[in-house]
Amino acid sequence: MTMRDAIAAFVHDGDTVAIEGFTHLIPTAAGHEIVRQGRRNLTVVRMTADIVVDQMLAGGCVSKLVSSFVGNSSAGSLGELRRRIEHALPEPLEFEEYSHYGMVCRYLAGAQRLPFYPLRSYAGSDLASVNDGIRTVTSPYPGPDGQEERIHVVPPVNPDVTIVHAQRADRAGNTQIWGLTGVQAEAVFAARRAVVVVEEVVDDEVVRSDPNRTVIPAHAVDAVVACPRGAHPSFAQGYYDRDNAFYRSWSHISKDPERLQEWMQRWVLGTRDHAEYVAMLGEEHWAGLAVGDALSLPVNYGRRL
C-alpha cells in the first residue's frame, strides 16, 4: 500500500498506536503521515519516546504517552513533550512510565496473550509508586532464598496498530531486519493490526535466500509500505547513516513553540508525502549520510540433493 492509504486504513482517532524501532529504523515517515491526516486522541506506545513523538505531539495527535526513556537520543531535549508534562502547555499529556525492560515485558505479555509478565528489576525502585499498572503478586514458587516471594508484574499491551520500519520485505510482508534491533517482532505480534514500512520491497527469492533475517513473518502483517529514507533522522543499516546534525538541532527547534510550528508547517504539513520531504532535504544532504559497503559473508543453507 501507499503510506497514505495504510495510515488511512489502519490508524483511527482514539487508537492505541505502537511505534517501534530502537535508535535504528524509527518509522518517522509514518508519524508524519499520521500528522498530515489529522489523527487525534491517540495513545502512543513507544519504548524510547523521541523526536517522532515530539513531532506527533506538536501535530496535535497524541493525548497519552506510554513509554520508558524520554529524550532526544542523547542529543538534547524534547521541547513539546516537556511543555506538556511540566506545564500542561498547550494542554496536558497523560504519561504512563515504565522501565525499558518493563516495556519489553508488556510487549511479550501482549504478544503471548498473557495476563501479565513478571520481572525482578523493579525491586528497590520507586517507579511503582507513580504507576499503578506496576503491581506485585505472590509467586507460586519459592524465591531464591527458599521463602515466599513477592514479585512485580506489568500488564500486557495490545495496540490497535503497531508500525515498524525495516530494511526490506517481500510483497506478502515477510520482513527482514539486520543491525540494531529492538522489540519490533514482539510489538507486531502484540497488536491487532500491523503496518511495516520498508526501504524496499524485494522479490520473494531475496527473502528466501536468507530466511534467518526474517524477523517478522507475513502472517503477522496487514500492510507493507515502500518508503525509502523513511526512518530519517534515524538510520537504516546499509542504506543511510544517522543524521546527527538534525538530532542536535532538534532541541533548539522544539524549545521554541513558534519555531516548532513553523518547522511542522514546512516539513510535515506543507509536504504531500515523504518523497517530497526527502527531495526538500536535497541530494547534497543525503550524500552526507551515504554509507559504504560492509558485506556479510554468504551462508550456505544447503539443500536436499
Side-chain angles (χ1 to χ4, degrees), residues 57-88:
L57 282 166
C61 303
V62 184
S63 59
K64 179 178 179 180
L65 174 64
V66 181
S67 186
S68 46
F69 170 88
V70 171
N72 181 10
S73 300
S74 303
S77 195
L78 303 175
E80 186 71 11
L81 187 146
R82 289 192 65 165
R83 280 188 291 275
R84 290 175 185 248
I85 291 180
E86 295 175 0
H87 306 294

Side-chain angles (χ1 to χ4, degrees), residues 27-295:
T28 308
H32 288 179
E33 185 58 29
I34 289 170
V35 173
R36 287 189 196 97
Q37 295 194 19
R39 294 295 180 270
R40 294 292 180 265
N41 197 33
L42 300 179
T43 294
V44 169
V45 181
R46 174 154 174 71
M47 271 187 61
T48 54
D50 53 2
I51 285 176
V52 68
V53 172
D54 217 28
Q55 292 169 350
M56 292 175 68
L57 282 166
C61 303
V62 184
S63 59
K64 179 178 179 180
L65 174 64
V66 181
S67 186
S68 46
F69 170 88
V70 171
N72 181 10
S73 300
S74 303
S77 195
L78 303 175
E80 186 71 11
L81 187 146
R82 289 192 65 165
R83 280 188 291 275
R84 290 175 185 248
I85 291 180
E86 295 175 0
H87 306 294
L89 293 173
E91 57 188 27
L93 173 68
E94 184 180 354
F95 181 40
E96 188 175 320
E97 183 180 7
Y98 294 86
S99 64
H100 267 4
Y101 186 57
M103 289 293 295
V104 171
C105 291
R106 292 202 67 194
Y107 280 127
L108 286 167
Q112 298 174 47
R113 300 305 189 263
L114 295 172
F116 56 81
Y117 207 95
L119 66 167
R120 285 200 171 96
S121 59
Y122 285 138
S125 166
D126 64 356
L127 194 55
S129 68
V130 296
N131 182 349
D132 62 8
I134 302 170
R135 302 180 185 179
T136 57
V137 299
T138 300
S139 171
Y141 303 103
D145 60 0
Q147 303 300 309
E148 180 180 277
E149 181 180 18
R150 296 285 291 173
I151 191 165
H152 285 97
V153 296
V154 291
V157 59
N158 294 109
D160 294 298
V161 60
T162 286
I163 304 172
V164 299
H165 196 96
Q167 279 101 335
R168 67 191 184 200
D170 61 22
R171 290 178 61 83
N174 293 297
T175 303
Q176 298 195 325
I177 296 175
W178 56 93
L180 181 63
T181 58
V183 291
Q184 289 98 329
E186 293 83 356
V188 163
F189 276 108
R192 295 175 178 87
R193 301 182 296 275
V195 175
V196 171
V197 184
V198 292
E199 292 296 315
E200 57 179 333
V201 175
V202 297
D203 292 338
D204 296 357
E205 290 73 18
V206 174
V207 170
R208 290 172 181 167
S209 72
D210 196 0
N212 280 29
R213 284 194 217 282
T214 302
V215 174
I216 300 167
H219 65 261
V221 176
D222 294 277
V224 177
V225 175
C227 185
R229 297 169 172 171
H232 179 268
S234 71
F235 66 106
Q237 191 78 39
Y239 290 77
Y240 47 91
D241 206 351
R242 187 177 190 265
D243 192 343
N244 290 308
F246 184 92
Y247 278 94
R248 288 191 295 270
S249 72
W250 186 253
S251 293
H252 304 288
I253 294 169
S254 65
K255 73 179 181 181
D256 180 341
E258 184 175 338
R259 184 178 177 187
L260 174 56
Q261 287 303 319
E262 289 173 354
W263 188 94
M264 294 291 295
Q265 286 295 328
R266 180 183 180 193
W267 292 95
V268 181
L269 295 169
T271 54
R272 289 169 297 179
D273 53 27
H274 191 69
E276 189 169 317
Y277 169 96
V278 166
M280 283 174 58
L281 283 168
E283 283 308 313
E284 183 177 350
H285 186 93
W286 289 107
L289 301 178
V291 294
D293 289 341
L295 299 176

